[in-house]
Amino acid sequence: MKFLTPVIVFIGLPLSCIAFLYANLMPSFGDSQSRFSKILLASVFPYNFQVFRLITKEQAPESYDEIVNIRTILQIESKNSILKPYIDVYVRPNL
């Protein structure tokens, strides 16, 4: 399945950028938790599924490598002052 990696990157990266812009430009309509989860998912492109499982409180990632990568990604995303409270309250406790 290594041959699919470039295809996924060429399709997923622009789609992730468009989703990030869309999520940032749309008003929240009072549901800020949903909006922040969409912004977070759009900004962590290669780890979308793992972060989605953390947000929905499904099982934690199976391997230690995934946990380390997700912690690193969340640490980088926590520098965003808008997403930091959302990550600290809703995502980090599930790690």
Side-chain angles (χ1 to χ4, degrees):
M1 294 303 225
K2 284 281 198 185
F3 64 92
L4 287 177
T5 304
V7 175
I8 292 172
V9 168
F10 287 129
I11 293 172
L13 195 57
L15 188 63
S16 177
C17 291
I18 291 170
F20 183 75
L21 288 173
Y22 179 77
N24 278 306
L25 293 175
M26 284 299 295
S28 66
F29 297 115
D31 190 14
S32 60
Q33 181 181 355
S34 173
R35 180 175 183 240
F36 291 141
S37 66
K38 290 172 189 165
I39 292 171
L40 180 64
L41 285 174
S43 64
V44 294
F45 165 61
Y47 301 103
N48 290 15
F49 184 66
Q50 289 89 354
V51 173
F52 176 74
R53 286 184 6 200
L54 285 174
I55 290 172
T56 58
K57 298 180 178 136
E58 290 182 17
Q59 63 186 26
E62 294 83 21
S63 70
Y64 182 71
D65 294 334
E66 285 182 358
I67 293 173
V68 170
N69 287 337
I70 290 174
R71 285 188 180 151
T72 306
I73 293 295
L74 290 178
Q75 195 172 25
I76 292 168
E77 290 298 322
S78 290
K79 293 179 182 175
N80 183 343
S81 61
I82 295 173
L83 287 178
K84 182 173 177 32
Y86 174 77
I87 290 172
D88 290 341
V89 172
Y90 295 105
V91 180
R92 279 195 202 274
N94 299 329
L95 273 177

